Amino acid sequence: MPFTIAIDGPAASGKGTIARALAQRFGFLHLDTGLLYRAVGAMGGDPVAAARALTPEDLLRPGLRSAEAGQAASRVAAIPEVRAVLVDFQRRFAVQEPGAVLDGRDIGTVICPGAQLKLYVVARDETRAARRAAELGVDPTEMLAQLRERDARDADRATAPLRAAPDAVVLDTTALTIDEAVARAVALVEDRLSAQPAP
Ligand code: C5P
């Protein structure tokens, strides 16, 4: 049975970095599900039609990592029909052998509630803003306001809001280096893998 790791958390908490590192360490596939919403937001026009027309090439569009694309993503992500269109693709991705890591906002709660490991990655608001501002070369104060606005929209929406699954392990990366955060996540995966029944 493929091993699925679900990683959720607010913007810039470190979940993408941890997801990439786990995928590389264990030879699993990785899907940054935020990119799906960023691409839909960037396509313009009717967001539901854009979600239906989404192709893998759309995920390579330039500019998808910008703060503006993040805001547009969080607006289209609040539309239940947009989310519904993207569910099957994510669920199919999650059950590929030998395993898959998906990071987003609703992976542990909606997309993969049966994932073998669920992580909910958090960090202090100011720390997250400083990290993302450094990454994008923008002002940290402006970034803090933007992240808070986006997190509030993601957490307050009616469909698949940002939430930790009840059985998620919370990982606070505020005081951790990237290596420390990854090491904790690796230990959790190894622990769950060793508890897996032999194939
Ligand atoms: O993770 P990232 O910051 O790229 O996500 C951009 C936006 O996409 C989030 O603010 C959120 O609104 C939306 N998103 C979502 N569900 C996911 C992943 C991302 O609603 N699983």
Side-chain angles (χ1 to χ4, degrees):
M1 195 165 112
F3 192 92
T4 307
I5 304 173
I7 308 186
D8 294 301
S13 56
K15 59 188 187 312
T17 304
I18 293 172
R20 277 191 300 278
L22 290 182
Q24 194 177 17
R25 174 81 155 70
F26 295 97
F28 291 173
L29 294 131
H30 170 232
L31 181 64
D32 168 0
T33 64
L35 263 190
L36 303 174
Y37 297 94
R38 286 174 181 261
V40 170
M43 283 160 81
D46 171 23
V48 181
R52 288 206 182 101
L54 198 65
T55 66
E57 290 71 49
D58 292 317
L59 305 184
L60 305 173
R61 277 170 180 256
L64 289 186
R65 303 275 174 197
S66 72
E68 294 71 31
Q71 292 291 352
S74 115
R75 281 190 285 273
V76 299
I79 303 170
E81 293 80 5
V82 167
R83 308 197 70 83
V85 169
L86 300 175
V87 166
D88 282 352
F89 173 76
Q90 295 174 81
R91 287 196 178 141
R92 279 199 304 275
F93 190 95
V95 294
Q96 295 177 96
E97 295 283 1
V101 188
L102 286 81
D103 70 274
R105 304 292 186 290
D106 63 340
I107 308 304
T109 50
V110 175
I111 303 297
C112 305
Q116 283 84 347
L117 176 65
K118 297 175 192 172
L119 287 178
Y120 192 75
V121 184
V122 297
R124 249 180 99 225
D125 293 2
E126 289 77 3
T127 308
R128 295 189 291 120
R131 286 178 188 160
R132 188 51 57 89
E135 217 173 271
L136 298 175
V138 299
D139 173 52
T141 312
E142 169 67 14
M143 185 46 69
L144 179 61
Q146 284 207 16
L147 285 188
R148 284 184 169 150
E149 185 192 332
R150 190 144 71 90
D151 291 344
R153 196 186 293 124
D154 291 346
D156 295 343
R157 70 186 174 216
T159 307
L162 169 66
R163 284 273 187 291
D167 54 347
V169 179
V170 177
L171 180 56
D172 187 337
T173 67
T174 306
L176 301 179
T177 63
I178 291 175
D179 286 352
E180 287 166 342
V182 168
R184 289 198 192 183
V186 166
L188 288 164
V189 176
E190 282 173 341
D191 193 51
R192 298 288 164 98
L193 277 172
S194 65
Q196 285 272 99

